[in-house]
């Protein structure tokens, strides 16, 4: 009985032209034809990206050297007529998109995002495979979470395609170092020049890993890899099963705020080791790589992670109390200043991520919110409720640890929202009904009441002031003032200003290149006043009168409540680890 095998070979004949060459060697399947498919999305980034658009020069040759007929049967499927023969399937992938989720190849290095690089055989996602990298002479290192096969140089193996697609490769001359954290070996790969202190960064990451491992009770990895791409300006990340890819600004490490924001990013992506990669929604795994995988639960799996990333930096001592509260309240202000928070619930935001989260347009602020921000808000409310109602004996940590143990370590399955809520209430003895109901509502709960439970208050510093507003956002580009957003139900919305209108003059005064006449006009106008804007729209000049309305923008802050009880202050200290 023959044994089937799948082997990939990566080479870089023209890296300066942004190509990776891929050969896929398929043996032992014995089928008359084989359908080869490329994923249309990558786990952790919920958007149909159509990776196959970058594939070219497809060719198939049998083991005896005969050319095989290849037919493209769908946007991401190539059928090879094999007549039962073993064969090699080769192709090139254009790779020139700078992000944590897409391929990028140039003369200096290659970042390989597996979902956009490797084909799988239809019906055989569970098949093991191997990947060999043929290093160009000018490159010397490979960083990846894949297990290395020591018998062959630069050969890696994967037990199935879910793991292969979740294991990016960084290939080049990146600076690398290793360290232990929570008893687990870690590799850090820095790609591109950056101003950082390796010793300090290592120490701080060790603290993050230790704290997160404490929260979850155990660390699931035998080895972990951080891959960081340094750019002039960037911030973001993508989680993987035993690695992460981070994007950072090369000079962000040298100032306190930038460095702490990078540590929050590290904390966020590492937290995903448990929250989404293992404890996961029922619909996220096993994956369907050909279409959307819908779930309303990203408010838990991304939102909770967004809550914990900054909280962990507070617990580790990187941020003081006020610095943490400033970061936390920004989540609230971002959501509550989007008119879309009255239109889209966080549950629907999760479900609609495939069509809205990664495809924003000029009206996104009016129709949508981010499950990252709103999920973090609700996670905070759950945490405060649990801490206060349990007199500080429990917190959200206990819920996550129990859920991880029950649904991953014991049952190894995805979860739904109701069973997560039931477990949370059973573990803590606290009713969370109001918060879970808010997931599918657009009305706000009383956030201040929750903060009061632990001795803090949530106050809008704009609550006693009213200012006149047009309700627009503008940019100043090439000496022109251009409308970039119009808030729902604002003065501009009601009286007909449009995105992409160029504001030429206000009340007969031509704007300078910074639009200062518009700022001055607003400064001296009252609610109910009419201002006349001269705008250029598609080359036509229009004069539009606009009656100003009161601004509905909020500016919340969180501070100690001077009227709190001693017990509430004690609970607040527990929440923010202020006694550590």
């Amino acid at each position: 009985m023959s044994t089937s095998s799948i082997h990939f070979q990566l080479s870089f004949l023209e890296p300066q032209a942004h190509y990776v060459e891929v050969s896929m060697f398929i043996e032992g399947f014995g089928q008359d034809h084989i359908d080869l498919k490329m994923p249309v999305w990558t786990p952790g980034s919920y958007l149909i990206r159509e990776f196959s658009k970058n594939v070219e020069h497809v060719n198939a040759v049998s083991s005896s050297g005969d050319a095989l007929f290849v037919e493209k049967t769908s946007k991401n499927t190539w059928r090879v007529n094999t007549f039962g023969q073993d064969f090699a399937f080769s192709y090139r992938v254009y790779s020139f998109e700078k992000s944590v989720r897409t391929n990028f190849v140039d003369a200096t290095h290659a970042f390989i995002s597996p979902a956009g690089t490797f084909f799988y055989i239809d019906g055989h996602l569970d098949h093991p495979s191997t990947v060999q990298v043929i290093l160009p002479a000018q490159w010397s290192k490979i960083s990846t979470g894949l297990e290395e096969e020591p018998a062959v140089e630069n050969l890696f193996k994967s037990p199935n395609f879910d793991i292969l697609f979740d294991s990016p490769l960084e290939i080049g001359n990146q600076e690398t170092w290793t360290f232990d954290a929570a008893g687990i070996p870690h590799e850090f790969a820095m790609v591109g020049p950056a101003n950082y202190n390796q010793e300090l960064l290592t120490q701080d990451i060790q603290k993050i890993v230790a704290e997160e491992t404490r929260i979850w009770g155990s660390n699931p990895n035998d080895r972990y890899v951080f891959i960081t791409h340094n750019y002039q300006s960037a911030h973001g990340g993508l989680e993987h099963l035993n690695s992460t890819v981070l994007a950072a600004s090369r000079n962000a490490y040298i100032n306190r705020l930038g460095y702490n924001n990078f540590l929050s990013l590290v904390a966020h992506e590492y937290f995903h080791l448990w929250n989404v990669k293992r404890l996961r929604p029922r619909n996220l795994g096993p994956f369907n790589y050909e279409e959307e995988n819908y779930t309303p639960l990203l408010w838990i799996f991304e939102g909770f992670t967004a809550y914990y990333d900054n909280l962990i930096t507070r617990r580790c001592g990187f941020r003081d109390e006020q610095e943490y509260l400033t970061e936390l309240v920004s989540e609230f202000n971002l959501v509550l200043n989007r008119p879309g928070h009255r239109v889209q619930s966080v549950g629907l935001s999760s479900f609609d991520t495939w069509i809205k989260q990664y495809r924003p347009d000029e009206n996104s602020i009016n129709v949508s919110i981010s499950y990252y921000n709103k999920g973090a808000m609700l996670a905070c409310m759950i945490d405060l409720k649990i801490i206060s109602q349990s007199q500080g004996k429990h917190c959200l940590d206990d819920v996550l640890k129990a859920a991880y143990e029950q649904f991953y370590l014991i049952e190894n399955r995805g979860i739904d929202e109701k069973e997560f809520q039931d477990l949370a209430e059973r573990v803590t003895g606290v009713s969370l009904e109001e918060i879970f109901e808010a997931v599918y509502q657009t009305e706000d709960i009383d956030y201040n009441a929750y903060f009061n439970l632990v001795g803090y208050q949530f106050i809008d510093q704009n609550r006693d002031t009213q200012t006149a507003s047009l309700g627009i956002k503008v940019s100043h580009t090439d000496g022109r003032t251009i409308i970039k957003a119009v808030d729902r139900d604002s003065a501009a919305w009601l009286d007909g200003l449009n995105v992409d209108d160029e504001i030429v003059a206000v009340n007969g005064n031509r704007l300078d290149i910074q639009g200062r006449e518009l700022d001055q006009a607003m400064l001296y106008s009252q609610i109910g006043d009419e201002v006349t804007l001269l705008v250029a729209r598609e080359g036509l000049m229009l004069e539009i009168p606009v009656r100003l309305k009161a601004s509905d923008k909020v500016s919340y802050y969180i501070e100690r409540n001077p009227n709190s009880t001693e017990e509430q202050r004690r609970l607040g200290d527990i929440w923010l680890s202020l006694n550590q």
Side-chain angles (χ1 to χ4, degrees):
M1 181 177 177
S2 64
T3 302
S4 59
S5 66
I6 302 173
H7 173 66
F8 293 95
Q9 188 177 86
L10 301 181
S11 57
F12 303 89
L13 303 180
E14 294 185 298
Q16 81 290 347
H18 319 300
Y19 280 95
V20 54
E21 287 74 34
V22 187
S23 293
M24 181 180 186
F25 300 93
I26 299 171
E27 297 181 353
F29 282 84
Q31 300 171 203
D32 285 340
H33 69 264
I34 286 180
D35 286 341
L36 297 174
K37 293 179 175 289
M38 178 169 278
V40 301
W41 67 286
T42 188
S45 183
Y46 309 105
L47 176 70
I48 300 298
R49 296 188 181 274
E50 311 294 19
F51 291 121
S52 59
K53 69 181 184 292
N54 295 316
V55 173
E56 59 182 74
H57 287 84
V58 172
N59 187 47
V61 178
S62 73
S63 56
S64 59
D66 297 325
L68 299 178
F69 179 69
V70 181
E71 176 187 11
K72 190 171 186 181
T73 59
S74 75
K75 64 181 181 180
N76 66 317
T77 307
W78 280 257
R79 172 168 292 181
V80 183
N81 293 299
T82 66
F83 304 105
Q85 301 179 84
D86 299 338
F87 67 101
F89 180 74
S90 61
Y91 53 97
R92 307 183 82 199
V93 182
Y94 182 69
S95 308
F96 197 53
E97 182 177 350
K98 291 181 180 178
S99 83
V100 296
R101 62 192 70 85
T102 51
N103 285 338
F104 182 87
V105 176
D106 69 6
T108 64
H109 77 110
F111 172 66
I112 301 301
S113 177
T117 306
F118 299 118
F119 283 84
Y120 64 93
I121 299 176
D122 191 23
H124 293 277
L125 279 168
D126 60 346
H127 200 285
S129 64
T130 54
V131 178
Q132 185 174 25
V133 179
I134 309 301
L135 280 176
Q138 68 271 27
W139 296 347
S140 61
K141 294 181 180 178
I142 304 169
S143 299
T144 180
L146 288 172
E147 183 180 353
E148 190 166 7
E149 180 59 68
V152 180
E153 186 178 25
N154 300 330
L155 180 68
F156 304 88
K157 57 185 178 180
S158 176
N160 56 59
F161 275 80
D162 285 322
I163 289 178
L164 178 62
F165 290 146
D166 211 15
S167 303
L169 299 96
E170 175 61 36
I171 305 166
N173 298 310
Q174 61 272 20
E175 182 175 358
T176 61
W177 68 94
T178 59
F179 57 90
D180 284 348
I184 307 297
H186 291 67
E187 176 186 336
F188 206 101
M190 275 287 192
V191 184
N195 294 314
Y196 62 93
N197 181 320
Q198 180 180 315
E199 182 178 356
L200 177 63
L201 183 58
T202 299
Q203 292 173 357
D204 289 343
I205 291 175
Q206 288 172 321
K207 293 177 184 177
I208 290 170
V209 171
E211 173 59 18
E212 295 191 1
T213 302
R214 184 197 67 78
I215 292 170
W216 293 95
S218 61
N219 196 303
N221 284 324
D222 296 324
R223 175 176 169 269
Y224 189 87
V225 179
F226 292 95
I227 299 171
T228 298
H229 294 144
N230 293 291
Y231 301 103
Q232 184 174 13
S233 179
H235 185 81
L238 187 64
E239 70 277 2
H240 296 284
L241 193 66
N242 67 342
S243 64
T244 186
V245 183
L246 310 174
S249 300
R250 64 176 61 100
N251 292 314
Y253 308 96
I254 59 177
N255 68 80
R256 180 180 174 87
L257 179 60
Y259 182 63
N260 283 341
N261 285 343
F262 180 74
L263 292 178
S264 287
L265 177 63
V266 169
H268 184 105
E269 302 305 336
Y270 203 86
F271 203 80
H272 275 313
L273 273 185
W274 299 269
N275 201 37
V276 89
K277 298 312 300 183
R278 290 166 176 86
L279 177 64
R280 59 174 175 79
R282 193 180 295 274
N283 291 348
L284 287 187
F287 294 118
N288 180 342
Y289 293 101
E290 291 201 85
E291 61 184 36
E292 296 86 348
N293 292 221
Y294 294 104
T295 175
L297 298 188
L298 293 177
W299 73 274
I300 293 176
F301 292 92
E302 288 291 357
F304 280 35
T305 304
Y307 170 62
Y308 268 96
D309 55 21
N310 287 322
L311 184 61
I312 286 165
T313 64
R314 163 62 215 137
R315 289 181 182 178
C316 291
F318 308 143
R319 285 188 167 98
D320 63 25
E321 177 184 4
Q322 188 53 57
E323 287 171 329
Y324 170 70
L325 294 175
T326 298
E327 293 296 326
L328 176 62
V329 81
S330 69
E331 309 277 13
F332 290 82
N333 286 323
L334 280 170
V335 171
L336 299 177
N337 280 319
R338 284 177 74 98
H341 89 274
R342 302 185 187 93
V343 176
Q344 186 185 54
S345 70
V346 71
L348 186 57
S349 172
S350 298
F351 194 84
D352 275 351
T353 183
W354 295 93
I355 58 175
K356 291 190 176 182
Q357 175 70 19
Y358 295 97
R359 285 196 174 111
D361 61 25
E362 72 283 349
N363 200 41
S364 292
I365 61 169
N366 293 316
V367 297
S368 66
I369 57 171
S370 168
Y371 47 80
Y372 286 86
N373 308 128
K374 186 64 179 284
M377 292 162 61
L378 295 184
C380 182
M381 299 303 99
I382 292 172
D383 203 13
L384 300 182
K385 181 77 177 289
I386 292 172
I387 291 170
S388 64
Q389 296 300 103
S390 69
Q391 292 79 50
K393 297 176 183 176
H394 294 293
C395 67
L396 186 53
D397 294 13
D398 301 306
V399 174
L400 295 179
K401 181 180 179 182
Y404 176 68
E405 291 176 349
Q406 181 65 41
F407 300 120
Y408 176 70
L409 294 179
I410 297 174
E411 300 181 25
N412 192 21
R413 65 174 178 86
I415 66 169
D416 59 39
E417 194 170 89
K418 184 63 168 63
E419 62 186 352
F420 182 84
Q421 179 186 347
D422 289 344
L423 178 139
E425 293 178 339
R426 184 173 68 253
V427 168
T428 63
V430 176
S431 173
L432 302 171
E433 189 68 26
E434 180 191 39
I435 302 171
F436 276 82
E437 286 180 352
V439 172
Y440 299 98
Q441 299 170 352
T442 56
E443 297 79 13
D444 290 310
I445 58 178
D446 186 352
Y447 301 113
N448 191 48
Y450 285 86
F451 281 109
N452 287 168
L453 294 172
V454 296
Y456 286 84
Q457 56 186 359
F458 180 68
I459 298 175
D460 178 15
Q461 61 187 4
N462 293 345
R463 67 192 185 280
D464 295 325
T465 62
Q466 283 196 321
T467 57
S469 172
L470 281 168
I472 61 175
K473 292 181 177 65
V474 301
S475 71
H476 304 292
T477 306
D478 297 328
R480 303 191 303 158
T481 299
I482 309 295
I483 297 176
K484 290 300 183 182
V486 177
D487 285 350
R488 181 184 295 273
D489 295 330
S490 66
W493 173 286
L494 295 175
D495 290 331
L497 291 177
N498 289 353
V499 168
D500 292 333
D501 284 351
E502 177 192 354
I503 303 176
V504 178
V506 56
N507 295 335
N509 296 307
R510 181 174 177 81
L511 270 59
D512 69 2
I513 60 174
Q514 294 298 320
R516 282 175 285 213
E517 284 75 16
L518 180 62
D519 297 335
Q520 188 174 35
M522 294 304 302
L523 181 65
Y524 292 105
S525 295
Q526 304 296 317
I527 297 167
D529 287 354
E530 185 176 276
V531 296
T532 300
L533 300 179
L534 179 65
V535 304
R537 180 182 298 169
E538 286 293 323
L540 300 177
M541 305 302 291
L542 302 173
E543 197 168 74
I544 301 177
V546 180
R547 191 164 299 281
L548 300 177
K549 295 181 63 178
S551 171
D552 62 355
K553 299 304 181 187
V554 298
S555 180
Y556 280 98
Y557 61 93
I558 303 169
E559 66 175 7
R560 291 273 185 171
N561 183 354
N563 299 316
S564 62
T565 66
E566 183 177 345
E567 173 64 5
Q568 288 169 337
R569 291 193 293 273
R570 182 184 76 85
L571 296 174
D573 289 347
I574 292 174
W575 171 45
L576 294 187
S577 306
L578 294 176
N579 292 326
Q580 291 186 0

